[in-house]
């Protein structure tokens, strides 16, 4: 019988130890080190059969001599997905899609797989073929090019891949896979590492793109070692509030494109629908004017996006006033309140302030500062802002209104959606002529107060 070899892994960061210890040296967390059985035999899997090719020695080459013909990407029918990836799926790439349970990862990738005009293999270790069929019927009832395999052993998956020769492989999810060469249970650090590296070898050597689904832990990281994120080419994050219908797909890492792009989806009874004009859905079109609401023009990736900021200012019931922000940085909210207090003389010290970005999205663009201030002022005075006003500027510590990037794009988006006035910084230079929207340039918070009252 082969000797059983074990190693200790930190379940938090993936660090490896020869002996058990209470605290992980590298991430300092306690009680996360677990013994896992690692048994290496001589390999005759994908790895072993291809180990010859890794002996190939590569030579240095002049950068000008390297062939730079643009790689042809696989275009999916999902335009948002293509854009987040930087223009489609790159052949031979390994992509990891992370997200909370139930957010729609399986739905998104099944939908992409079903609509591809290529031969796709969807490997599921989580659901039965029937379950997937039921889901497929919800999202797209007719397609013949997508094969479903329910299997968790990588060696068996590779066997099927060899006979099927798919153009693209989807794995749902990496935590359910296990390889024969490692004896610990599926989902353990050593298994995840091993399975990912087998899949990576397969992807690189056959130029078949592989998309992995990864679970995330309570604190929002992809379960498994950080090294998993280093191994793959692209890390996508699917997020959104499960109680809201909107889902946001963003790239946290992308070797083939920018990480600025963002895809927005709406979860419907028949699967995920791309939202091509997000501003229209994120803003509640109300007839009556409500105090405490302000519209901000932000940029998500390269796209301007109008969002609604809601503030509620009320008298504090308890000694310490509460400040709470949803979708916005709470520290920044405190800073803006301090600026308001100091520069505009508003006594907010004895007031509770609640701030909410509607639609369940999180924004970190500083250009929404001005809208936050306007919403707070409006709620404090209990007077609605004019419905057709919108804001795009950063607010500095001395109450100055600071310029933001790509202001012209923001102005045009606001104009397109029918807003009558946009408040921006005096220091933003713009060359737009004859806009239907009134461009109101201000330089200090006091200016804003004057305009709004
Ligand atoms: P799922 O893709 O299973 O999530 P994940 O793989 O990330 O865990 O999505 C599950 C949720 O999506 C589930 O709560 C039901 C909902 N859903 C719809 O609302 N409409 C649909 O057409 C489908 C397929 C799912
Ligand atoms: Mg799933």
């Amino acid at each position: 019988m082969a000797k059983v070899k074990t190693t200790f892994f930190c379940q938090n960061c993936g660090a490896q130890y020869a002996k058990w210890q209470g605290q992980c040296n590298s991430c300092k967390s306690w009680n996360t080190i677990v013994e896992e059985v690692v048994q290496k035999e001589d390999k005759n899997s994908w790895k072993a059969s291809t180990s010859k090719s890794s002996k190939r020695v590569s030579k240095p080459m002049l950068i000008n001599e390297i062939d730079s013909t643009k790689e042809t990407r696989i275009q999916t029918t999902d335009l948002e997905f293509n854009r987040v990836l930087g223009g489609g799926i790159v052949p031979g790439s390994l992509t990891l899609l992370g997200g909370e349970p139930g957010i729609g990862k399986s739905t998104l990738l099944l939908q992409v797989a079903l609509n591809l005009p290529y031969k796709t293999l969807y490997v599921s270790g989580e659901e039965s073929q029937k379950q997937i069929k039921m889901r497929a019927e919800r999202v797209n009832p007719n397609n013949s090019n997508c094969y479903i395999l329910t299997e968790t052993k990588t060696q068996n998956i590779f066997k099927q891949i060899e006979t099927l020769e798919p153009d693209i492989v989807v794995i749902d999810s990496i935590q359910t896979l296990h390889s024969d060469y490692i004896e610990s249970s599926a989902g353990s650090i050593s298994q995840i590492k091993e399975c990912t590296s087998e899949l990576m070898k397969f992807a690189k050597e056959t130029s078949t793109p592989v998309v992995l689904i990864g679970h995330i832990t309570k604190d929002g990281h992809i379960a498994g070692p950080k090294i998993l994120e280093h191994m793959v080419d692209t890390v996508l994050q699917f997020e959104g509030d499960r109680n809201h219908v909107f889902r946001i797909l963003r790239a946290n890492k992308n070797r083939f494109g920018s990480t600025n792009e963002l895809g927005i989806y709406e979860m419907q009874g028949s699967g995920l629908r791309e939202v091509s004009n997000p501003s229209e859905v994120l803003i509640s079109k109300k007839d009556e004017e409500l105090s405490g609401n302000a519209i901000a023009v932000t940029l998500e990736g390269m796209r301007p996006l109008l969002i609604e900021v809601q503030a509620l200012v009320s008298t504090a019931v308890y000694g310490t006033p509460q400040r709470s922000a949803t979708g916005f940085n709470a520290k920044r909210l405190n800073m803006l309140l301090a600026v308001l207090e100091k520069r505009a003389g508003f006594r907010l010290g004895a007031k509770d302030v609640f701030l909410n970005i509607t639609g369940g999205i999180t924004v970190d663009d500083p250009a929404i500062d001005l809208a936050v201030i306007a919403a707070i002022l409006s709620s404090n005075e209990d007077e609605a802002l004019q419905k057709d006003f919108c804001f795009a500027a950063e607010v500095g510590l001395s109450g100055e209104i600071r310029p933001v990037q790509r202001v012209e794009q923001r102005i045009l988006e606001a104009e397109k959606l029918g807003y009558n006035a946009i408040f921006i910084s005096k220091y933003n230079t713009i060359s737009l002529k004859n806009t239907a929207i009134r461009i109101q340039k201000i330089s200090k918070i006091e200016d804003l107060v004057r305009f709004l009252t």
Side-chain angles (χ1 to χ4, degrees):
M1 214 182 105
K3 193 167 170 269
V4 177
K5 194 178 155 224
T6 63
T7 311
F8 295 81
F9 287 97
C10 169
Q11 302 294 307
N12 188 37
C13 69
Q16 202 172 336
Y17 298 94
K19 270 188 175 167
W20 186 85
Q21 58 191 63
Q23 189 186 24
C24 171
N25 290 348
S26 66
C27 72
K28 304 283 176 244
S29 47
W30 287 92
N31 278 335
T32 54
I33 295 174
V34 170
E35 181 175 20
E36 290 181 10
V37 185
V38 193
Q39 190 183 44
K40 302 239 176 192
E41 307 164 11
D42 34 320
K43 305 192 167 181
N44 50 8
S45 74
W46 193 267
K47 281 177 105 178
S49 65
T50 53
S51 62
K52 259 184 265 130
S53 63
S54 60
K55 291 212 183 86
R56 196 187 60 216
V57 188
S58 70
K59 285 201 193 98
M61 238 174 141
L62 274 176
I63 188 151
N64 292 339
E65 286 171 4
I66 298 174
D67 201 9
S68 71
T69 43
K70 237 179 150 228
E71 81 283 287
T72 46
R73 296 188 180 222
I74 298 177
Q75 299 291 330
T76 67
T77 49
D78 185 332
L79 300 178
E80 304 279 305
F81 192 68
N82 287 348
R83 207 192 29 249
V84 174
L85 285 174
I89 304 175
V90 176
S93 66
L94 190 61
T95 306
L96 177 66
L97 173 70
E100 281 179 29
I103 199 84
K105 302 179 294 296
S106 308
T107 309
L108 176 70
L109 288 184
L110 185 65
Q111 223 171 298
V112 168
L114 285 176
N115 285 315
L116 271 179
Y118 307 97
K119 201 195 272 178
T120 53
L121 177 65
Y122 186 97
V123 183
S124 179
E126 304 204 325
E127 289 161 74
S128 67
Q129 277 164 324
K130 262 212 190 89
Q131 271 175 306
I132 299 172
K133 171 78 177 163
M134 265 157 58
R135 188 197 299 263
E137 267 163 6
R138 278 174 84 173
V139 300
N140 184 341
N142 45 357
N143 191 291
S144 53
N145 256 336
C146 180
Y147 292 81
I148 307 290
L149 172 68
T150 45
E151 177 60 70
T152 54
K153 202 157 111 182
T154 52
Q155 280 75 25
N156 292 350
I157 294 174
F158 288 132
K159 222 175 272 164
Q160 297 301 329
I161 286 177
E162 250 165 68
T163 46
L164 188 67
E165 296 191 335
D167 296 313
I168 172 167
V169 177
V170 176
I171 306 279
D172 186 3
S173 61
I174 185 70
Q175 278 88 0
T176 57
L177 291 195
H178 68 97
S179 165
D180 265 356
Y181 301 117
I182 301 270
E183 287 223 334
S184 54
S185 59
S188 63
I189 306 274
S190 45
Q191 279 290 4
I192 293 178
K193 250 160 118 177
E194 170 67 21
C195 296
T196 310
S197 74
E198 284 177 20
L199 285 164
M200 183 172 65
K201 279 230 163 97
F202 159 72
K204 299 290 168 210
E205 275 156 28
T206 58
S207 283
T208 312
V210 177
V211 186
L212 309 173
I213 289 180
H215 294 169
I216 67 175
T217 56
K218 272 202 294 303
D219 46 353
H221 297 292
I222 291 175
K226 199 80 188 156
I227 197 167
L228 187 60
E229 288 173 51
H230 293 298
M231 280 160 93
V232 300
D233 297 308
T234 306
V235 179
L236 303 179
Q237 186 97 16
F238 205 34
E239 57 193 35
D241 200 327
R242 238 193 314 163
N243 304 321
H244 290 89
V245 282
F246 297 111
R247 304 282 189 272
I248 292 176
L249 181 70
R250 58 172 103 232
N252 285 347
K253 162 186 175 181
N254 193 349
R255 289 195 180 139
F256 313 111
S258 106
T259 51
N260 283 333
E261 289 299 355
L262 186 107
I264 301 182
Y265 295 89
E266 191 179 346
M267 183 59 101
Q268 293 184 335
S270 56
L272 289 159
R273 188 183 65 89
E274 299 161 38
V275 177
S276 45
N277 197 347
S279 301
E280 278 177 3
V281 286
L282 287 174
I283 293 169
S284 49
K285 291 254 160 41
K286 287 182 241 68
D287 285 335
E288 80 267 46
E289 299 177 341
L290 296 174
S291 71
N293 286 8
I295 307 293
V297 191
T298 72
L299 278 184
E300 277 291 5
M302 298 303 195
R303 282 192 301 179
L305 179 69
L306 273 80
I307 55 163
E308 193 171 327
V309 179
Q310 297 185 320
L312 179 66
V313 178
S314 64
T315 314
V317 203
Y318 306 107
T320 326
Q322 295 188 60
R323 266 76 219 260
S324 116
T326 314
F328 187 71
N329 187 332
K331 284 199 181 124
R332 191 144 188 105
L333 171 64
N334 281 334
M335 184 212 98
L336 292 176
L337 289 173
V339 171
L340 259 182
E341 178 128 23
K342 179 104 180 166
R343 304 289 161 192
F346 277 90
R347 297 273 159 257
L348 289 160
K351 305 264 175 134
D352 289 341
V353 179
F354 304 96
L355 193 79
N356 180 33
I357 310 279
T358 57
I361 63 169
T362 303
V363 185
D364 53 8
D365 181 4
I368 78 166
D369 286 356
L370 195 59
V372 170
I373 296 243
I376 291 171
L377 288 177
S378 155
S379 176
N380 192 45
E381 299 289 314
D382 199 17
E383 225 167 274
L385 300 171
Q386 245 170 281
K387 250 200 339 230
D388 46 11
F389 280 5
C390 58
F391 305 86
E394 186 181 340
V395 175
L397 280 183
S398 53
E400 81 274 23
I401 310 293
R402 301 167 58 96
V404 292
Q405 50 156 340
R406 294 171 189 268
V407 75
E408 297 189 350
Q409 233 182 314
R410 300 181 200 245
I411 294 172
L412 292 175
E413 175 79 4
E415 182 177 14
K416 198 170 85 194
L417 291 173
Y419 285 86
N420 273 337
I422 179 165
F423 287 74
I424 62 167
S425 163
K426 197 173 125 189
Y427 307 106
N428 258 128
T429 45
I430 43 174
S431 51
L432 291 174
K433 298 245 160 57
N434 304 327
T435 47
I437 188 168
R438 180 163 62 94
I439 300 170
Q440 192 62 60
K441 293 188 165 189
I442 55 177
S443 62
K444 300 192 295 288
I445 283 205
E446 292 91 311
D447 296 348
L448 179 73
V449 176
R450 209 174 46 242
F451 270 110
L452 298 184
T453 46

